[in-house]
Amino acid sequence: RFPPRRTNDLTACPETFASAVDVLSPFYKDLAHRYATACALALNIPTDYFSKTLVDYDLCTVRMLHYPPCDWNEAASADEAGDTSKT
């Protein structure tokens, strides 16, 4: 089977994060169906043309990204001084 089915490895995450991902999962699946339907409508093809293939969601990916916090005061001061390395 290609691509191989993947599972979320949330072992390094807090337990509350893993449970939040489980709660959000059905909403993401609904979003995938709605997006597929919207694409079909835009292309003037049957509305279930794409969504009927969404069974395993093995090609749907939601990435949880983490960006470190920004010290806005430091960035603003650097911007005012013309130092773009901190913005």
Side-chain angles (χ1 to χ4, degrees), residues 8-46:
N8 291 324
D9 180 11
L10 302 174
T11 55
C13 297
E15 188 175 317
T16 55
F17 180 78
S19 63
V21 169
D22 290 339
V23 169
L24 287 174
S25 181
F27 294 102
Y28 288 129
K29 289 181 179 181
D30 181 56
L31 177 62
H33 272 283
R34 289 173 181 246
Y35 182 74
T37 301
C39 289
L41 285 170
L43 295 170
N44 201 26
I45 57 179

Side-chain angles (χ1 to χ4, degrees), residues 54-73:
L54 293 174
V55 177
D56 293 332
Y57 297 92
D58 52 350
L59 296 177
C60 296
T61 303
V62 176
R63 293 178 48 195
M64 307 294 182
L65 302 177
H66 170 74
Y67 295 99
C70 177
D71 183 350
W72 292 107
N73 293 328

